[in-house]
Amino acid sequence: MFERFKKKSAKVVQVPAPLTGTVIPLSEVPDEAFAGGFMGQGVAIEPAEGRLVAPFDGTVAHVIKSKHAVMLEDNATGLQFLFHIGINTVGLKGEGYTSHVEMGDSVKAGQTLIEFDMDAIKAAGYPVVTPIIVTNADELASSVEGHTGNVTAGRDFVLSISLKS
């Protein structure tokens, strides 16, 4: 009788780490656009190795010309993510980065998206901290919760996202 008054439970999406390293809150990223949440909600990872992998099956929505960032759309939910390797690294003009995908490519969880030379990036004076941003969270999510600590790519979760019903 009261079925219509029952609260629907929101679907929660767990997002695996796209990098191995240490997850930190966005507020600790040394760039105001990311730290202030102006780019969107998410977390950042201090990588332990120079390999970014697809955390889920998806479609490459965009690869930044200088290869330091890629956007993926999750095929299952429509959520879109920006993976931005390093801070102000557009100045490297692609040096130290090897992209293995192009816009429109379908990718599988665990597939290598970008390899990067952490030592070369650091030697050029850039931090390698990598923000992971949910770019369309305002449209599709009721909440985005970040998890901090050490993670292994493809194994540990970095975000829990409650989808709007």
Side-chain angles (χ1 to χ4, degrees):
M1 174 172 143
F2 295 101
E3 199 63 35
R4 64 184 176 150
F5 296 111
K6 279 188 178 177
K7 185 176 180 179
K8 291 182 183 176
S9 59
K11 178 180 178 187
V12 177
V13 176
Q14 300 286 347
V15 180
L19 296 158
T20 295
T22 304
V23 182
I24 61 171
L26 276 182
S27 60
E28 294 180 19
V29 172
D31 179 282
E32 186 52 38
F34 290 113
F38 301 111
M39 302 294 289
Q41 299 177 63
V43 293
I45 297 178
E46 283 283 357
E49 60 186 27
R51 190 169 78 99
L52 175 75
V53 301
F56 46 75
D57 293 349
T59 302
V60 178
H62 190 66
V63 178
I64 304 301
K65 187 177 174 181
S66 54
K67 302 178 230 162
H68 71 281
V70 63
M71 289 184 70
L72 281 187
E73 182 169 324
D74 180 357
N75 290 341
T77 63
L79 288 166
Q80 293 182 346
F81 296 82
L82 168 66
F83 306 102
H84 191 283
I85 304 165
I87 302 302
N88 296 322
T89 47
V90 68
L92 291 172
K93 298 182 170 94
E95 283 295 316
Y97 294 90
T98 303
S99 177
H100 295 279
V101 293
E102 295 179 8
M103 191 168 86
D105 285 357
S106 290
V107 296
K108 295 286 183 194
Q111 180 177 336
T112 300
L113 303 174
I114 299 173
E115 290 180 293
F116 54 100
D117 185 335
M118 290 181 17
D119 293 333
I121 295 166
K122 288 178 184 177
Y126 298 98
V128 292
V129 63
T130 301
I132 295 143
I133 306 296
V134 187
T135 61
N136 61 350
D138 290 345
E139 300 164 34
L140 300 178
S142 56
S143 70
V144 176
E145 179 186 346
H147 309 287
T148 57
N150 294 329
V151 293
T152 299
R155 189 185 76 193
D156 302 306
F157 297 121
V158 295
L159 293 169
S160 296
I161 302 168
S162 295
L163 298 176
K164 291 179 180 177
S165 31

